[in-house]
Amino acid sequence: MEIEYERMRGDVLRLRERIDGIRETAESDDGTITVSVDGRGRLVDLRLAARVYRMPDSRALAAGIVETASHATELVGGRLAEITRDLFAADTGRGTAR
């Protein structure tokens, strides 16, 4: 029982390390907005191209930021699904843990 606990604890710690190492970046279609999020979906970087300041529509800018951040978060979701799939596959002996 203790050996199983230690194995599971190690798996969880490795999973947390992998999640903490995730960073995904998305760019708006027009290239004016770049957003990076971490493995927990938190915004870690936001870059706006200089030409964005010439856009008088602040609502459109805000919507663009939200849309770009959502895309970056979706990318993180894909990475998390991959990590989880790898973990469970390794646990059953059909895959490899990274």
Side-chain angles (χ1 to χ4, degrees):
M1 185 83 128
E2 188 174 326
I3 294 171
E4 181 67 16
Y5 169 78
E6 288 300 321
R7 185 190 64 76
M8 288 174 41
R9 182 176 177 276
D11 287 347
V12 169
L13 291 174
R14 283 187 293 281
L15 178 62
R16 288 182 73 185
E17 287 175 5
R18 291 184 66 191
I19 290 171
D20 289 343
I22 294 174
R23 184 173 173 139
E24 288 291 342
T25 301
E27 186 175 288
S28 63
D29 290 338
D30 64 1
T32 59
I33 303 165
T34 304
V35 174
S36 296
V37 297
D38 66 12
R40 300 180 195 285
R42 295 178 296 214
L43 180 69
V44 294
D45 192 31
L46 171 63
R47 295 176 189 247
L48 303 173
R51 69 181 187 270
V52 79
Y53 298 109
R54 292 187 291 261
M55 303 165 87
D57 189 351
S58 63
R59 287 184 185 194
L61 174 59
I65 292 170
V66 170
E67 181 179 325
T68 307
S70 293
H71 183 245
T73 303
E74 288 173 10
L75 294 172
V76 166
R79 294 275 303 279
L80 291 173
E82 179 184 314
I83 288 170
T84 305
R85 187 173 47 249
D86 288 351
L87 179 66
F88 286 118
D91 195 40
T92 61
R94 292 191 306 261
T96 58
R98 294 182 190 172

